[in-house]
Amino acid sequence: MRIIRGMCGRYTIRRPGLIKKLVYQSSFEEFSQIRIEPRFNIAPSQSVPVVRLNKEAVAAVKMVRWGLIPSWTKEKPKQQPINARAETVATSGMFRQALARRRCLVPADGFYEWQKLGDPKRPTKQPMYVHRDDDDVFAFAGLWERWKPDADAEPVDTFTIITTAPNALMSPIHDRMPVILSSADYNRWLSRDVPGEDVLDLLRPHAVDGFVADKVSTRCNSPRNDDCDCVAPLAE
């Protein structure tokens, strides 16, 4: 399996209980059956909580694996993208069906990006942790798919995070950032009654206000490290 890496490639859910705050009409019965541990270094190929509409068109929390497998593919692809570009998501064969029918919210309370410093030919990479200054939860714009290798197999649910151009906070760090949706837009993003082309205006850089970027240690470089030390700001 090959995961197509890009920005955003790591994020956090430090206080899982806040996911309920994010969901307006959550199926809490389903949520209560899922034990969600605090996560400080979520990496591709891992299963994490995602908010999507269930059969009754009610927002529900499900555990879904990060790295998209399209529902229409017959064989498990070697490339499983963790990100989709906002500029091409509506036209890409990999994503356009999911944009039309299977949009989701990816709860988070921070994400990592590695800033290149020093010699451009041999730069050092400084991990930066981007989060709200009040450490509240927010949601990335995501797409999900359900893939079955054959008729008798258990379905595999996967997702990807949409990225866009950076805002003023992110531009010194990286040339992309994840799409962070405003809470007022959650319902429109999730709605099956809204065509994919009618939500493209949401795929824009989020406002800088309320977000900060902290230098953190290289402990977050390894997905084996998943603890609060990953997000601890470095002393200046």
Side-chain angles (χ1 to χ4, degrees), residues 86 164-165 177-182 185 188 199-207:
T164 187
M177 70 175 294
V179 173
I180 299 172
L181 295 171
S182 297
D185 296 321
R188 179 154 70 102
V199 293
L200 293 178
D201 63 298
L202 303 181
L203 306 181
R204 58 184 183 266
H206 195 275

Side-chain angles (χ1 to χ4, degrees), residues 20-212:
K20 288 186 179 181
K21 175 182 175 181
L22 181 146
V23 184
Y24 293 119
Q25 294 179 328
S26 177
S27 175
F28 289 130
E29 181 179 354
E30 293 182 56
F31 183 87
S32 66
Q33 295 171 2
I34 302 172
R35 182 175 178 82
I36 304 174
E37 300 291 341
R39 297 295 311 276
F40 298 89
N41 197 10
I42 294 169
S45 79
Q46 297 175 352
S47 291
V48 292
V50 164
V51 180
R52 64 190 186 188
L53 298 185
N54 61 18
K55 292 180 180 179
E56 291 73 38
V58 174
V61 179
K62 291 293 185 181
M63 300 299 287
V64 183
R65 191 172 66 80
W66 188 10
L68 196 78
I69 303 177
S71 57
W72 43 260
T73 190
K74 294 182 178 179
E75 297 183 357
K76 189 175 183 179
K78 294 181 179 179
Q79 298 182 343
Q80 298 172 29
I82 64 169
N83 294 154
R85 294 177 66 90
E87 297 86 346
T88 57
V89 69
T91 57
S92 168
M94 178 72 75
F95 305 117
R96 62 173 178 255
Q97 288 189 18
L99 178 69
R101 306 186 187 101
R102 291 177 288 277
R103 301 188 293 266
C104 63
L105 304 174
V106 183
D109 56 16
F111 62 93
Y112 297 98
E113 189 48 59
W114 282 258
Q115 184 179 24
K116 294 181 179 179
L117 301 173
D119 186 346
K121 294 182 179 179
R122 300 185 64 182
T124 58
K125 294 184 178 180
Q126 171 61 55
M128 304 293 293
Y129 181 61
V130 182
H131 59 102
R132 286 183 56 92
D133 55 14
D134 60 4
D135 282 327
D136 202 357
V137 69
F138 52 87
F140 300 134
L143 305 173
W144 72 276
E145 288 275 20
R146 174 165 293 167
W147 177 69
K148 292 185 71 171
D150 57 64
D152 298 325
E154 287 292 320
V156 178
D157 288 357
T158 61
F159 77 95
T160 191
I161 295 171
I162 301 176
T163 68
T164 187
N167 59 20
L169 176 67
M170 285 300 301
S171 58
I173 301 171
H174 200 276
D175 61 1
R176 304 291 295 175
M177 70 175 294
V179 173
I180 299 172
L181 295 171
S182 297
S183 58
D185 296 321
Y186 290 168
N187 288 336
R188 179 154 70 102
W189 178 254
L190 290 176
S191 176
R192 299 189 185 111
D193 296 327
V194 179
E197 57 267 26
D198 289 347
V199 293
L200 293 178
D201 63 298
L202 303 181
L203 306 181
R204 58 184 183 266
H206 195 275
V208 173
D209 293 347
F211 279 80
V212 294

